Amino acid sequence: MSSVAEERGAAPRRTRAPLRSHFTFSSRSESIEVDDAPVVDVPDETVPLVGAIAFEADQPDALLAPEALRVALPTGRVTARAAADLRARIVAEPGAAEYERKVAAVVARIAEAIRSGDDLRKVVLARRLRVECEAPIDVDLLLARLRRDPEVTTFRIGHRSRAGEPTEWIGATPETLLDKRGDRVHSLPLAGSAPRSSEWSVDQAAAQGLLASAKDRTEHRLVVEHVLDTLAPWCSALNASSTPILTGTSTVWHLGTRIDGRLRDRDTPSLTLARALHPTPAVCGVPTAKARALIADTEGTPRGLYAGAVGWSDGTGDGCWMVTLRCAEVRGATAILHAGAGLVASSVPRSEREETSAKFRALLDAFGVDEA
């Protein structure tokens, strides 16, 4: 079977080989661990693969070819050790004021596009936090802390930095891009979010405010329409819940829509479908090409694996791919954290910056530090 890249007339995506690496993937329903697997170029998508695909088409993926792939039930949540006194310096890239300025400029571009009849409707703009520690970062401890949230899927991938240095990507993502089992496919796109609170009344008010938000519902609808339009040619039946539901991690409320379908061809590899869906408007924008170009011009630094897709596909084509969110690139004593906000014409710069801060909280809590 040809890959999506071949069908579109583009060159197959490539990884940086030769290299041997590792991969872990743990959700409520399954767990995978692969050690010392080779990083591969992917001529087709009918062999067992694990790892991640990058956000940009010209950035290397991190796909591994294990000799055997064993999907098992998770052994249970790991209880993390007590938080140590982690001495760290946090550097925002860009800073809060600069990010808000960039948000305002992108929102103005979207508003002008609407006035002029252009089709630009949404752009997801990300920012980074650099966490600089005094000692090498304990990745195992970070993952153990992230796994305390039962609503996320954790992952760890050995990769190489843009400068070619060994690096690790870890994260705790809540968003299912594509889950395929036989002829059944499932997606749970998330778009529209609000920070959670430890105070029950404040937390419930945030949840209800999110459900009632016209801005967030507009943003969410664009993502759902993209997933439905992309999967429709592959499916003989496709259904979506009529209204968004609330789904929450320990730090953020999201709007989500459950989408289920039946494939015309059950042998279609899950990675083929994930590549077709990627990137959704939840991490890129509408339309994709214009949003991607504006992201590259505004952010200035390639995202790499952030906002890509992470997961696995076995020899039968079954597999699960999650959107690569709530993640950090760890190298020695430094970690680079990523978070983005979806911008539409009604977006308010300060609110969007606060949304990214809420999304950073999961990883910052694992480090035991605060953005401030």
Side-chain angles (χ1 to χ4, degrees):
M1 178 176 293
S2 63
S3 70
V4 169
E6 292 168 334
E7 290 168 0
R8 294 179 177 173
R13 294 289 294 267
R14 298 182 65 84
T15 59
R16 284 193 176 121
L19 175 71
R20 299 187 74 84
S21 191
H22 61 266
F23 171 82
T24 65
F25 182 95
S26 181
S27 69
R28 286 187 294 178
S29 59
E30 60 205 3
S31 179
I32 298 171
E33 293 189 16
V34 173
D35 291 318
D36 200 29
V39 177
V40 295
D41 295 333
V42 185
D44 63 60
E45 293 157 354
T46 60
V47 298
L49 293 166
V50 299
I53 59 177
F55 175 77
E56 295 90 358
D58 61 351
Q59 291 294 304
D61 297 333
L63 291 172
L64 318 178
E67 294 182 3
L69 181 60
R70 179 174 176 267
V71 182
L73 291 173
T75 56
R77 295 286 163 182
V78 177
T79 302
R81 301 192 298 271
D85 180 17
L86 179 63
R87 297 184 180 275
R89 184 172 76 103
I90 297 178
V91 180
E93 301 175 342
E98 176 65 9
Y99 179 74
E100 290 182 20
R101 186 195 66 77
K102 290 185 175 186
V103 168
V106 171
V107 170
R109 289 279 297 273
I110 297 171
E112 176 57 30
I114 293 173
R115 286 193 295 269
S116 64
D118 193 3
D119 57 353
L120 183 65
R121 291 296 180 269
K122 177 183 177 181
V123 177
V124 179
L125 193 64
R127 67 184 183 103
R128 312 191 314 174
L129 294 180
R130 179 184 296 272
V131 180
E132 299 175 343
C133 303
E134 292 185 348
I137 294 168
D138 187 338
V139 175
D140 290 330
L141 177 58
L142 286 178
L143 278 175
R145 291 175 179 169
L146 291 171
R147 287 175 184 154
R148 291 181 295 192
D149 187 341
E151 302 303 322
V152 300
T153 295
T154 58
F155 59 87
R156 177 179 183 177
I157 308 165
H159 194 40
R160 290 212 182 269
S161 71
R162 286 180 288 275
E165 300 169 313
T167 186
E168 291 195 271
W169 282 79
I170 66 166
T173 174
E175 184 169 0
T176 304
L177 179 66
L178 190 285
D179 192 320
K180 173 190 178 292
R181 312 297 160 118
D183 65 349
R184 303 287 181 155
V185 290
H186 164 68
S187 181
L188 183 62
L190 305 179
S193 62
R196 299 201 64 174
S197 172
S198 58
E199 185 177 339
W200 186 87
S201 61
V202 176
D203 191 49
Q204 292 304 300
Q208 295 308 310
L210 178 60
L211 280 173
S213 168
K215 178 263 180 187
D216 288 290
R217 281 179 172 267
T218 296
E219 181 185 343
H220 185 76
R221 184 177 67 251
L222 292 171
V223 181
V224 173
E225 289 173 352
H226 168 87
V227 175
L228 290 172
D229 290 345
T230 303
L231 288 180
W234 303 88
C235 294
S236 59
L238 191 60
N239 300 290
S241 53
S242 57
T243 58
I245 61 172
L246 276 173
T247 177
T249 67
S250 61
T251 56
V252 181
W253 285 114
H254 292 284
L255 293 179
T257 292
R258 182 180 178 92
I259 297 173
D260 294 287
R262 175 170 287 178
L263 292 170
R264 300 179 190 278
D265 179 2
R266 67 181 295 129
D267 294 328
T268 304
S270 63
L271 182 54
T272 298
L273 297 171
R275 286 198 192 280
L277 287 168
H278 171 70
T280 75
V283 294
C284 183
V286 178
T288 302
K290 290 182 179 179
R292 239 177 178 167
L294 189 51
I295 287 168
D297 289 343
T298 307
E299 292 183 8
T301 302
R303 293 178 174 183
L305 299 186
Y306 165 64
V310 57
W312 60 273
S313 183
D314 66 18
T316 71
D318 285 357
C320 180
W321 296 88
M322 308 290 292
V323 183
T324 316
L325 302 174
R326 312 295 192 273
C327 59
E329 183 181 6
V330 180
R331 188 164 59 254
T334 300
I336 299 175
L337 283 55
H338 304 257
L343 311 182
V344 294
S346 59
S347 291
V348 177
R350 180 174 179 176
S351 297
E352 302 300 341
R353 193 262 304 163
E354 289 173 347
E355 178 178 325
T356 63
S357 292
K359 292 173 178 176
F360 279 129
R361 273 179 51 203
L363 276 162
L364 291 178
D365 287 350
F367 275 96
V369 297
D370 185 86
E371 183 179 355

